[in-house]
Amino acid sequence: MYYIAKFFVRLFFRIIYNLHYEGRDNIPRGEAVIYASNHRSNADPPLLGGGAVGKHAFMAKEELFRNKLFAWLIRALGAFPVSRGKGDIAVIDTAIERLHSGRSLMIFPEGTRSKDGKVGRGHSGAALIAAKADSRIIPVGIVFGEKLKFRTRVTVKFGKPIDPKEYVKRSDEPNPRQLVKLKNRYMADIKELVEGQAQLGIKEEKDNA
């Protein structure tokens, strides 16, 4: 069911947008990884998921699970609910369990959508999960022009994997300073992926207007 749902969602978004993937050879095969991506729109999870390898999971706010049909679809695609303001311990445990079960995890470290396309400072949640699960992080840049509309060119770029052990020495009790260093590394990589194509995406949108 997962691969059937993923096929139709990927087909739908390829029809709606002029979708391109770069750097997929950077994604390790045969292991669950954490995709840490910038956040531009509500379409980011399927846009990212279309280029991800194997099965994956992602966090979604609990309000999205109220509609039974939509809840069934996003659960089939690997979503699990997050209750805002009710603590992060259970969410982190669920994320680690998904990784240990062989599903890669999609995370948007900025926590909210960027209104101007610039990459924010980000949070250390992905770093903590990566350290505890001993999973490598793949930085991702989702790039398009000022607005996402029909047949907009969208480029999803996958960067080189980051090993959390290079920054965090003890996975059982991660040092907060080490987590911040790891967070700064993947946020810097995301920013480089995005800014390297940002001007190109804006120019193409103006040319097609």
Side-chain angles (χ1 to χ4, degrees), residues 63-83:
E63 292 84 356
L64 296 177
F65 291 83
R66 292 174 180 171
N67 182 289
K68 292 183 178 180
L69 180 61
F70 188 69
W72 171 85
L73 175 61
I74 60 177
R75 284 186 187 277
L77 291 171
F80 58 95
V82 176
S83 300

Side-chain angles (χ1 to χ4, degrees), residues 29-47:
R29 266 56 174 177
E31 69 175 88
V33 299
I34 297 174
Y35 298 97
S37 173
N38 65 315
H39 199 6
R40 292 290 309 275
S41 72
N42 288 328
D44 290 342
L47 291 174

Side-chain angles (χ1 to χ4, degrees), residues 6-196:
K6 182 177 179 179
F7 170 80
F8 282 106
V9 169
R10 180 164 51 186
L11 178 62
F12 173 79
F13 279 89
R14 282 194 175 277
I15 294 173
I16 296 297
Y17 305 119
N18 182 10
L19 185 57
H20 300 266
Y21 292 102
E22 296 181 6
R24 294 186 74 241
D25 54 331
N26 289 324
I27 305 173
R29 266 56 174 177
E31 69 175 88
V33 299
I34 297 174
Y35 298 97
S37 173
N38 65 315
H39 199 6
R40 292 290 309 275
S41 72
N42 288 328
D44 290 342
L47 291 174
L48 170 54
V53 175
K55 291 186 176 182
H56 50 261
F58 62 96
M59 304 174 189
K61 57 184 181 181
E62 61 181 350
E63 292 84 356
L64 296 177
F65 291 83
R66 292 174 180 171
N67 182 289
K68 292 183 178 180
L69 180 61
F70 188 69
W72 171 85
L73 175 61
I74 60 177
R75 284 186 187 277
L77 291 171
F80 58 95
V82 176
S83 300
R84 294 183 178 181
K86 296 183 181 180
D88 296 327
I89 296 178
V91 174
I92 291 173
D93 289 343
T94 301
I96 294 172
E97 184 275 327
R98 293 292 195 277
L99 287 163
H100 286 169
S101 71
R103 282 181 178 262
S104 292
L105 184 68
M106 295 189 298
I107 295 180
F108 302 94
E110 293 166 285
T112 187
R113 295 189 301 275
S114 172
K115 295 181 180 180
D116 58 7
K118 296 181 180 179
V119 179
R121 295 179 62 183
H123 301 284
S124 299
L128 177 60
I129 295 170
K132 285 183 168 291
D134 192 22
S135 298
R136 290 195 280 179
I137 299 172
I138 306 295
V140 183
I142 300 176
V143 184
F144 53 86
E146 297 177 359
K147 294 182 179 180
L148 192 61
K149 54 188 179 182
F150 183 68
R151 298 308 295 167
T152 293
R153 179 183 174 90
V154 180
T155 303
V156 181
K157 295 191 67 177
F158 297 92
K160 295 185 180 298
I162 303 169
D163 191 338
K165 292 192 291 293
E166 296 180 5
Y167 296 86
V168 182
K169 305 306 178 184
R170 294 187 58 183
S171 60
D172 55 340
E173 297 179 8
N175 183 300
R177 291 185 178 179
Q178 295 174 344
L179 292 177
V180 170
K181 288 183 179 180
L182 176 55
K183 184 265 290 187
N184 290 341
R185 165 64 191 280
Y186 59 70
M187 292 307 300
D189 284 7
I190 292 171
K191 187 175 182 179
E192 183 176 351
L193 290 167
V194 170
E195 291 187 350

